[in-house]
Amino acid sequence: MQLQTCSRLVALVLRCLIGLLLAQILGLSYLHKPLAATSEACSPAKEAKVSYPHTHPPPALLLAAAAMESLGVLLLHPMNAYLEQELDRRCRLIRFWDSPPDRRDDFLRANAGAIRAVVGNASYGADAALIDALPGLEIVASFSVGIDRVDLAKCRERGIRVTNTPDVLTDDVADLAVGLAIAVLRRIPQADRYVRAGQWKSKGDYTLTTRFSGKRVAILGLGRIGLAVAKRAEAFGCSISYHSRSEKPFPNYKFYANVVDLAANCDVFVVACSLNEQTYHIVSREVIDALGPEGVLINIGRGAHVDEPELVSALLEKRLGGAGLDVYEHEPLVPEQLFGLDNVVLVPHVGSDTEETCRTMADLVLGNLEAHALDKPLLTPVI
């Protein structure tokens, strides 16, 4: 591993020196597109060219450019236009979807020698089979906070680095959690359909709903996102309770050591924990029944946190008051029994899908890849 790293550094330095020499001889001006923190994130960015006053680019930029050019990156899915554009411009980009699904093994064998990095997201990760097929893999950079689709044990065994995009999407996901709660309780999508169908005119006023303000809000997982949800709910006069691996230093929030007890003492139950073996189907029939026919379940975590068949059955049988769901156990498949229910609001896993956050997440993925290529500390390492 050390010999491989040294060889890579020597190659980068040589490329940098050659670039400097060519720039000196030809008097080239260097054009570099800086990464903005916020912009139109989920669409191709416009070229913003900056000319340096010198006859050649700064050595640090040349070194970074050379390092990225030598990095073969396998992009698992077309997840973000700006990210794909920048990877294509700065790296040797290999698109996994260029191969038919039934020829993926042949595609990996043909490109394995060039692939040093994999970029995925919450739905498309690096499992053991993919990692085993890529002997030169050095880093998995996830365009998401969740890394449950990455085989971390295999990565540790192989010495493969893993990064994600924490913090940057916290506000957007927390906003959606509160938005879903209000949408379910006030039945906003249903009221919208009522107006559009002309029923306000033909049938009169819409049915009464219930407020979000002042509700007892329980949060499963008081991490970054859970805490952001709590702060927002407090602004609506809601009391906060939570369950987490350990009690947190927030005396105004009531801690429950048991998830069933947490569900039994709230009106709105928000799932915001990470997915692992301990939290798989943590929202069981017992938890759902404790939440009860007046309770509302909001899931902005992962679909597999909830026992989905039990959730569907509880909603159909009116043992649960309502649900607002951003995530599902078998995405993009959603139980069709939910489609006709007026006490359910469904959105297609869009918690972090704002232009601002997508751009910042993409820049973080690119920054981690560049740091790795230059053998610098990763920005947001997982391992």
Side-chain angles (χ1 to χ4, degrees), residues 126-128 131-132 147-160 162 277 382-383:
D127 59 15
I131 293 168
D132 285 339
I147 49 169
D148 45 280
R149 303 264 180 177
V150 178
D151 192 323
L152 296 180
K154 176 67 73 172
C155 288
R156 288 190 183 95
E157 178 187 317
R158 285 266 307 270
I160 296 167
V162 177
E277 291 180 3
V382 176
I383 57 176

Side-chain angles (χ1 to χ4, degrees), residues 32-56:
H32 173 67
K33 176 184 171 186
L35 295 177
T38 58
S39 182
E40 296 180 1
C42 298
S43 59
K46 296 178 181 178
E47 290 293 329
K49 297 184 178 181
V50 179
S51 296
Y52 286 91
H54 312 290
T55 56
H56 57 76

Side-chain angles (χ1 to χ4, degrees), residues 259-266 284-293 295 319-320:
V259 181
V260 175
D261 290 341
L262 178 71
N265 289 279
C266 74
S284 61
R285 182 186 179 106
E286 187 180 8
V287 171
I288 292 170
D289 285 344
L291 188 51
R319 290 184 288 109
L320 180 64

Side-chain angles (χ1 to χ4, degrees), residues 3-244:
L3 181 60
Q4 186 181 32
T5 301
C6 289
S7 300
R8 205 162 65 242
L9 280 172
V10 169
L12 291 177
V13 171
L14 285 174
R15 292 181 70 171
C16 180
L17 290 173
I18 292 170
L20 281 168
L21 182 60
L22 285 172
Q24 198 79 5
I25 293 171
L26 299 175
L28 296 176
S29 64
Y30 185 69
L31 297 178
H32 173 67
K33 176 184 171 186
L35 295 177
T38 58
S39 182
E40 296 180 1
C42 298
S43 59
K46 296 178 181 178
E47 290 293 329
K49 297 184 178 181
V50 179
S51 296
Y52 286 91
H54 312 290
T55 56
H56 57 76
L61 289 176
L62 266 178
L63 185 61
M68 289 292 275
E69 285 173 7
S70 71
L71 191 68
V73 177
L74 177 66
L75 185 60
L76 296 179
H77 189 73
M79 57 196 73
N80 177 266
Y82 166 72
L83 175 61
E84 184 178 342
Q85 172 185 290
E86 286 300 295
L87 288 172
D88 196 28
R89 182 175 73 86
R90 302 174 62 186
C91 308
R92 178 181 174 185
L93 179 60
I94 299 166
R95 297 170 173 86
F96 204 20
W97 62 96
D98 280 349
S99 168
D102 59 343
R103 301 295 302 275
R104 292 282 165 84
D105 290 344
D106 293 337
F107 183 82
L108 287 175
R109 276 192 291 271
N111 291 282
I115 296 171
R116 294 168 48 204
V118 164
V119 173
N121 62 10
S123 301
Y124 297 86
D127 59 15
L130 180 67
I131 293 168
D132 285 339
L134 301 173
L137 184 60
E138 301 166 9
I139 183 171
V140 176
S142 187
F143 182 71
S144 65
V145 172
I147 49 169
D148 45 280
R149 303 264 180 177
V150 178
D151 192 323
L152 296 180
K154 176 67 73 172
C155 288
R156 288 190 183 95
E157 178 187 317
R158 285 266 307 270
I160 296 167
R161 304 303 306 274
V162 177
T163 66
N164 64 346
T165 57
D167 295 325
V168 297
L169 49 71
T170 298
D171 287 336
D172 287 344
V173 178
D175 287 351
L176 183 65
V178 173
L180 283 171
I182 295 173
V184 173
L185 291 167
R186 297 302 306 270
R187 301 203 173 186
I188 293 173
Q190 296 84 350
D192 175 83
R193 291 197 296 270
Y194 190 82
V195 173
R196 291 174 188 271
Q199 291 179 305
W200 189 16
K201 180 179 179 181
S202 63
K203 293 185 177 181
D205 291 344
Y206 189 65
T207 186
L208 295 178
T209 60
T210 187
R211 67 174 60 155
F212 175 66
S213 296
K215 288 291 189 286
R216 298 172 300 162
V217 174
I219 300 171
L220 180 56
L222 201 68
R224 296 183 186 93
I225 293 173
L227 188 58
V229 173
K231 297 297 184 186
R232 284 159 173 74
E234 278 188 295
F236 285 86
C238 298
S239 61
I240 307 297
S241 58
Y242 70 97
H243 170 80
S244 208

Side-chain angles (χ1 to χ4, degrees), residues 304-372:
H305 282 130
V306 178
D307 187 330
E308 202 164 79
E310 289 292 348
L311 172 63
V312 171
S313 138
L315 288 164
L316 290 171
E317 296 167 10
K318 301 189 184 305
R319 290 184 288 109
L320 180 64
L325 308 175
D326 181 45
V327 290
Y328 311 87
E329 191 159 7
H330 305 291
E331 295 178 5
L333 303 177
V334 178
E336 293 185 5
Q337 301 99 309
L338 299 178
F339 294 167
L341 298 180
D342 275 345
N343 57 343
V344 178
V345 175
L346 309 171
V347 293
H349 201 155
V350 295
S352 62
D353 288 358
T354 65
E355 292 185 354
E356 299 88 348
T357 291
C358 284
R359 178 61 176 258
T360 307
M361 288 169 63
D363 286 344
L364 194 48
V365 169
L366 294 164
N368 275 310
L369 291 175
E370 183 174 291
H372 173 74

